[in-house]
Amino acid sequence: MAESTQPLLTDSSSPPPRTLDDTIERYIGSFGWGQFLQATLVSFSGVFDAQQTFISIFTDFEPTWHCTESDSFCHQSVSNICILPKTAWSWDFSPHVSVISEWGLQCAGSFVKGLPESSFFVGCLIGGLILSTLADSSLGRKNMLFLSCLVMSISTMLTVFSPNIWVYAFLRFVNGFGRATIGTCALVLSTELVGKKWRGRVGIMSFFGFMLGFLSLPIMAYINRGNSWRVLYIWTSIPTIIYCFLVRFFVCESPRWLFVRGRREEAISILKRVASTDGGALISMSFSSLPSQEEEEKPSVNIYAAMKVLLGKRWALKRLSAVMAVAFGIGLVYYGMPLALSNLDFNVYLSAAFNALMDLPANLITLFLVDKLSRRNALIGFTALGGVSSVLIFALQNMRIGNHGGLQLGLELISYFSACSAFNMELIYTIELFPTCVRNSAIAMTRQALVLGGVFSPVMVAAGRKNGFWSFGLFGLAIGLLGLFVVGLPETRGSDLCDTMDEEECKDRRNSNDIASSVIS
């Protein structure tokens, strides 16, 4: 491991820590095996999160078909399946491979075809709004993570028994509702179990867990090809149920949250377990010297109160509207592109695997170039690149010369990579645009706008099966044009973070005066 765990029993002459953060940092500042195992187990929730987010790529697709009569009236490359007699065509595989073919939805409207996955994202929206404050208040990080994974796993298993599209869509809604807080809880819990030095690196583990889950889907779907779509839900639900029990019995609650809630003895016990060395008496003494935090350090202001603050300031409302508009455009592409893979002239299993791997360079670019890139210019650049690539896919689909499947996939990967990079950059930009008192709420609203894009993308993908403009064309126009909303926002690279709304306003006035002075001179 990178460093040995810092001894709990230190020189008595060393000054005692004065704050909660200092006390906790003193004992978990290093990165030991206990913390590594805890962070890894918590971050593994991203695997199951990604599987349920993108599973409809392989369960809700429209299967290929072939003509069963030799008559020239039927030709699968030009004929509309809905005007052909049922005896003139047949599915290439068993009808049970997809919900579309099993329930005869091939001629249904785009709304019905996209309803299950749209319901999933609506569940994410509502779950995010309702459950967002429970991890800070009554339930805690660990219990919220356990409850979210449990609801997601049970609803996934129940989905196997769906008799029709309406029950299926409802269960997908429940699945999204439960899944809504998994990413946030995992990120917060894993980073609160380590010292400041290691939080950034541990936070990246959650993103790699999500990538691993996305990457596992095409492998599982390829093994299951030709079999019922219900099998894929079984394969993804059983490991999630097992994971719930691992979280319940082996994951530690955040000692920071426990102490803030007044549960001092539990916090001390967790620190002893995570630090995994002797010196428990010194830990107890260090904590006993601190005042109770239950009343002094309440959880951060909830999103509803923070929204009142944001709406009350014109400059804050302008910034929030801009970043949410950009996030909506990014969400259309981020969630829509993988769902539209079956609309490309390329192997869907390889396409999904390549898409999953695109998260890696996007995260690496953010990690290594974040200090060098202009937030505003990078965001405009990534959204423009994603928009142009997406529109070019639509243009290629309308060219009837040769097979452009490989080129379509290349453009799709560029567009998806651009969306991933743009969202990473926008999260950083949002953190720097808003003061501490409303920062968490601003990030939460930005994430909600991203998910709102996911609500519309499945319907657009379904419509795009007949005309690519409604999927790739609109995806490109949306992300490209909405990305321009940041033009009027200030650049934040290298600027100091403010704590209050008044400090942020003072900083803006200073920046405006500096710009005016430089123009005059």
Side-chain angles (χ1 to χ4, degrees):
M1 201 47 59
E3 296 182 12
S4 59
T5 306
Q6 183 177 343
L8 296 178
L9 200 56
T10 55
D11 188 352
S12 58
S13 63
S14 61
R18 296 183 178 181
T19 67
L20 173 61
D21 279 343
D22 290 340
T23 303
I24 293 178
E25 187 74 18
R26 180 176 181 180
Y27 301 115
I28 63 173
S30 299
F31 195 50
W33 275 109
Q35 293 156 290
F36 173 76
L37 293 175
Q38 287 286 317
T40 301
L41 184 56
V42 170
S43 300
F44 207 74
S45 61
V47 172
F48 311 109
D49 183 8
Q51 287 176 345
Q52 294 310 310
T53 300
F54 295 116
I55 194 171
S56 62
I57 298 173
F58 303 104
T59 59
D60 298 11
F61 71 100
E62 192 159 336
T64 55
W65 56 278
H66 62 273
C67 296
T68 56
E69 295 181 353
S70 56
D71 123 27
S72 58
F73 182 68
C74 178
H75 194 285
Q76 55 261 43
S77 63
V78 294
S79 295
N80 183 351
I81 194 175
C82 297
I83 64 174
L84 295 176
K86 292 184 178 180
T87 57
W89 64 275
S90 178
W91 299 113
D92 288 346
F93 298 96
S94 165
H96 301 297
V97 298
S98 167
V99 300
I100 301 294
S101 53
E102 178 171 324
W103 292 325
L105 302 175
Q106 62 274 9
C107 298
S110 301
F111 173 78
V112 175
K113 291 180 180 178
L115 180 62
E117 193 62 6
S118 289
S119 299
F120 172 82
F121 288 113
V122 170
C124 292
L125 274 176
I126 297 176
L129 291 172
I130 294 177
L131 305 176
S132 59
T133 60
L134 292 181
D136 285 333
S137 55
S138 57
L139 286 181
R141 286 82 161 100
K142 172 186 172 179
N143 289 334
M144 191 71 251
L145 179 63
F146 169 73
L147 180 62
S148 296
C149 290
L150 187 63
V151 171
M152 188 175 70
S153 61
I154 292 175
S155 59
T156 301
M157 180 59 76
L158 291 176
T159 302
V160 176
F161 305 102
S162 301
N164 53 55
I165 188 69
W166 310 110
V167 174
Y168 177 61
F170 172 75
L171 290 171
R172 290 294 290 160
F173 169 84
V174 176
N175 192 283
F177 182 88
R179 169 261 174 194
T181 57
I182 288 179
T184 303
C185 284
L187 180 62
V188 173
L189 179 55
S190 61
T191 53
E192 286 184 345
L193 288 170
V194 299
K196 297 176 183 177
K197 177 182 177 181
W198 296 95
R199 286 178 193 168
R201 301 176 191 179
V202 168
I204 294 175
M205 293 174 66
S206 297
F207 296 110
F208 280 100
F210 193 88
M211 184 187 73
L212 181 61
F214 191 3
L215 189 60
S216 69
L217 261 182
I219 298 174
M220 298 167 68
Y222 182 77
I223 297 173
N224 187 59
R225 69 191 186 283
N227 298 319
S228 174
W229 58 270
R230 301 173 192 267
V231 175
L232 204 53
Y233 277 102
I234 294 175
W235 287 357
T236 55
S237 65
I238 294 177
T240 312
I241 293 173
I242 296 173
Y243 177 77
C244 290
F245 287 99
L246 293 177
V247 171
R248 180 68 180 84
F249 294 107
F250 295 102
V251 169
C252 299
E253 181 55 272
S254 166
R256 298 172 187 271
W257 180 83
L258 288 171
F259 194 84
V260 165
R261 301 305 298 176
R263 295 157 64 174
R264 187 188 302 260
E265 295 304 319
E266 293 180 62
I268 293 173
S269 176
I270 296 296
L271 280 178
K272 292 177 182 177
R273 178 177 169 186
V274 172
S276 64
T277 60
D278 296 329
L282 184 58
I283 293 181
S284 301
M285 290 176 61
S286 297
F287 273 89
S288 64
S289 65
L290 290 173
S292 175
Q293 302 286 313
E294 188 172 12
E295 299 198 358
E296 295 180 14
E297 196 172 331
K298 291 186 181 293
S300 57
V301 179
N302 66 59
I303 191 171
Y304 311 109
M307 282 303 297
K308 292 181 180 180
V309 176
L310 288 169
L311 294 175
K313 300 287 186 178
R314 185 175 178 181
W315 63 267
L317 179 59
K318 175 186 175 182
R319 293 184 184 184
L320 183 64
S321 300
V323 295
M324 287 182 66
V326 177
F328 176 76
I330 294 172
L332 286 175
V333 175
Y334 180 77
Y335 293 116
M337 279 297 179
L339 297 178
L341 290 176
S342 59
N343 296 0
L344 299 177
D345 300 324
F346 201 85
N347 184 289
V348 68
Y349 304 104
L350 287 176
S351 300
F354 290 145
N355 269 256
L357 292 173
M358 282 297 103
D359 274 329
L360 180 60
N363 290 332
L364 291 178
I365 282 180
T366 305
L367 179 64
F368 292 111
L369 298 181
V370 66
D371 294 330
K372 301 177 181 179
L373 294 175
S374 161
R375 313 307 192 224
R376 185 173 54 196
N377 294 341
L379 202 49
I380 294 173
F382 283 130
T383 53
L385 179 61
V388 170
S389 301
S390 185
V391 171
L392 286 176
I393 298 173
F394 164 64
L396 283 175
Q397 288 182 330
N398 286 274
M399 294 181 183
R400 302 299 180 186
I401 306 174
N403 185 354
H404 300 287
L407 184 55
Q408 287 180 21
L409 177 63
L411 291 169
E412 189 275 338
L413 292 176
I414 293 174
S415 186
Y416 182 70
F417 161 79
S418 300
C420 294
S421 301
F423 186 62
N424 289 344
M425 186 59 63
E426 186 178 38
L427 284 181
I428 296 171
Y429 197 22
T430 304
I431 288 172
E432 296 172 344
L433 280 172
F434 294 92
T436 304
C437 61
V438 294
R439 185 173 295 130
N440 283 350
S441 298
I443 293 174
M445 293 304 297
T446 303
R447 286 182 174 274
Q448 291 292 79
L450 180 87
V451 175
L452 183 62
V455 172
F456 290 94
S457 60
V459 178
M460 296 167 66
V461 169
R465 289 168 185 158
K466 295 181 179 178
N467 185 342
F469 172 77
W470 298 111
S471 54
F472 298 114
L474 286 183
F475 288 163
L477 291 174
I479 191 173
L481 294 177
L482 291 175
L484 297 176
F485 272 66
V486 301
V487 169
L489 298 183
E491 177 56 51
T492 60
R493 182 171 67 93
S495 63
D496 295 328
L497 295 181
C498 297
D499 292 322
T500 67
M501 302 292 279
D502 290 338
E503 287 180 18
E504 188 69 36
E505 290 177 351
C506 291
K507 186 178 76 171
D508 285 347
R509 282 196 293 267
R510 286 197 305 270
N511 292 339
S512 298
N513 293 335
D514 291 342
I515 293 174
S517 301
S518 62
V519 170
I520 293 174
S521 61

